[in-house]
Amino acid sequence: MRDIRKRSYNKLLCLLEYMSLNRLVIGNKNYSSWSLRPWLLLREFGIPFSEVKIPLYAEGSKETLLRYSPSGKVPAFCHENITVWDSLAICEFVADLYPEKNIWPPKLEDKALARSVSNEMHSGFFAIRNSLPMNCRKQMVFHPMTESLKSEIDRVCEIWRVCRSRHSEKGPFLFGEFSIADAMYAPIVLRFNSYGITVGSTESEYMSTVLSLSSLKEWIAEGVAEKEFLADCEVDA
């Protein structure tokens, strides 16, 4: 019994040590799509971290954020004396920290495609971002559909179909196993689900896979329970 307790205690110490090494600063879980990406990545790869949540656009929030990130924005990731900000930069940094976890797909050609679609999401899709803000509490059918919004939705669906067609035998995610690409598109899955966006069977199956993640369910539940209300992120039917 003593040996079991000792092993459990040592395991706890190791966990606390890792958590002290890795700190993720995030915003509201209901609204902050950028925060979700590295949070989900860390959780899905079993990387211990401590979480600092700072409600966005609240009194004093900018000053508090500046203590962690020179941009004054979320997310920010602190590892020992290193600070990384921007969601994709954090995911890339985590991949460098833990190369054994294959956070990017291991094959060069797959990694090239994963990087391309991740960066495409990171730098574009402004109609989706502006028209369909992430909101875990929202359940509605969105209309009207502008041409720019429809074009971007179609492009997302095309990316999902291409990735799934090439990697369906390896697993249910974009590149078979969960990767940075899935973390980058998880907020889009939530948006499509919240606003009743119609997609094809391949895309629907992929969305179901992402929505079934226990870590994402936890994020959604905590987002729904938040009390903050950001009018700019609320869309009426």
Side-chain angles (χ1 to χ4, degrees):
M1 181 63 71
R2 287 183 179 179
D3 288 341
I4 294 175
R5 289 178 178 174
K6 185 176 180 180
R7 287 197 296 270
S8 298
Y9 179 71
N10 289 338
K11 187 176 180 180
L12 177 60
L13 287 179
C14 289
L15 177 61
L16 291 173
E17 181 180 356
Y18 271 109
M19 290 178 68
S20 68
L21 292 176
N22 298 326
R23 179 185 302 167
L24 182 66
V25 183
I26 63 172
N28 310 65
K29 288 187 174 178
N30 189 52
Y31 299 115
S32 184
S33 59
W34 297 106
S35 298
L36 169 58
R37 292 174 169 118
W39 186 95
L40 187 63
L41 187 82
L42 291 165
R43 288 295 301 272
E44 283 303 303
F45 281 96
I47 299 169
F49 66 99
S50 60
E51 175 187 307
V52 178
K53 187 171 76 169
I54 301 172
L56 302 177
Y57 308 112
E59 185 177 352
S61 62
K62 187 73 170 183
E63 292 76 13
T64 304
L65 285 168
L66 285 168
R67 298 176 192 169
Y68 297 98
S69 169
S71 70
K73 298 178 181 180
V74 292
F77 183 71
C78 306
H79 174 79
E80 296 182 326
N81 64 335
I82 301 171
T83 299
V84 186
W85 58 99
D86 178 274
S87 61
L88 185 53
I90 293 170
C91 292
E92 294 265 20
F93 180 71
V94 171
D96 289 339
L97 274 180
Y98 303 96
E100 73 283 358
K101 291 184 177 291
N102 289 324
I103 291 174
W104 284 119
K107 286 183 64 176
L108 184 61
E109 61 185 283
D110 295 341
K111 186 184 294 185
L113 179 57
R115 286 183 184 274
S116 295
V117 298
S118 296
N119 277 277
E120 184 176 351
M121 168 48 59
H122 185 263
S123 61
F125 298 100
F126 295 108
I128 291 177
R129 299 184 200 280
N130 295 329
S131 300
L132 311 176
M134 194 178 93
N135 188 331
C136 297
R137 292 191 286 257
K138 186 66 65 177
Q139 285 295 321
M140 61 175 281
V141 176
F142 180 85
H143 62 84
M145 188 72 65
T146 64
E147 284 301 316
S148 59
L149 179 57
K150 184 179 184 304
S151 176
E152 290 188 2
I153 291 171
D154 289 345
R155 175 56 185 153
V156 168
C157 290
E158 179 186 17
I159 289 170
W160 290 353
R161 287 194 302 271
V162 168
C163 293
R164 291 297 303 128
S165 67
R166 297 183 185 183
H167 305 284
S168 59
E169 296 181 357
K170 302 175 185 176
F173 295 99
L174 292 179
F175 292 85
E177 300 293 329
F178 189 92
S179 73
I180 289 176
D182 299 291
M184 292 302 296
Y185 280 88
I188 300 297
V189 170
L190 289 186
R191 285 176 161 104
F192 284 9
N193 185 63
S194 291
Y195 296 100
I197 302 302
T198 301
V199 298
S201 58
T202 298
E203 303 93 279
S204 180
E205 288 176 7
Y206 173 66
M207 286 177 60
S208 295
T209 294
V210 175
L211 290 167
S212 69
L213 293 171
S214 59
S215 54
L216 187 59
K217 290 180 179 179
E218 178 186 334
W219 175 281
I220 293 170
E222 293 179 3
V224 169
E226 289 176 344
K227 303 301 182 184
E228 296 86 5
F229 181 88
L230 301 180
D232 289 345
C233 297
E234 296 291 335
V235 174
D236 294 327

